[in-house]
Amino acid sequence: MKKRPVCVVRFVPALIVLCALVYSVFSATTSEIEALNELYEATNGANWIINTNWTLGDPCLNGWYGVVCSDSSVTQLNLGFNQLVGTIPNSISNLVNPIQLKKKGT
């Protein structure tokens, strides 16, 4: 059995810890992700003009179109002129920070 060089053995665990730390610092909370997914469903997200990356993992890490994050929290939704149809669900209040919702004409 081949032995791995010591630098690789020590480097890989440190890299895993670093990646986990970055993910935990810059990822949205579960309640924020659920609230945004409910917004997507309630406003016919599949038919928005642009819905890039919506429902794909984490909005802060995966660059959901129109979602602005600061550190690990959603701070803005810029979805004006995107043909949202429906009612904004009450779960939007689960976003950790007060958000600025930019709509058509603003």
Side-chain angles (χ1 to χ4, degrees), residues 72-90:
S72 62
S73 293
V74 176
T75 56
Q76 274 185 38
L77 295 177
N78 301 322
L79 298 171
F81 302 102
N82 211 19
Q83 294 185 347
L84 277 68
V85 176
T87 303
I88 295 175
N90 291 332

Side-chain angles (χ1 to χ4, degrees), residues 40-68:
Y40 181 85
E41 293 298 323
T43 59
N44 198 22
N47 291 310
W48 292 352
I49 294 170
I50 304 171
N51 59 11
T52 305
N53 292 342
W54 274 77
T55 71
L56 177 65
D58 184 282
C60 297
L61 294 174
N62 295 323
W64 292 12
Y65 174 79
V67 177
V68 178

Side-chain angles (χ1 to χ4, degrees), residues 22-57:
V22 167
Y23 182 81
S24 66
V25 169
F26 293 106
S27 61
T29 66
T30 301
S31 63
E32 287 182 310
I33 295 168
E34 289 172 355
L36 292 175
N37 281 323
E38 288 179 24
L39 173 68
Y40 181 85
E41 293 298 323
T43 59
N44 198 22
N47 291 310
W48 292 352
I49 294 170
I50 304 171
N51 59 11
T52 305
N53 292 342
W54 274 77
T55 71
L56 177 65

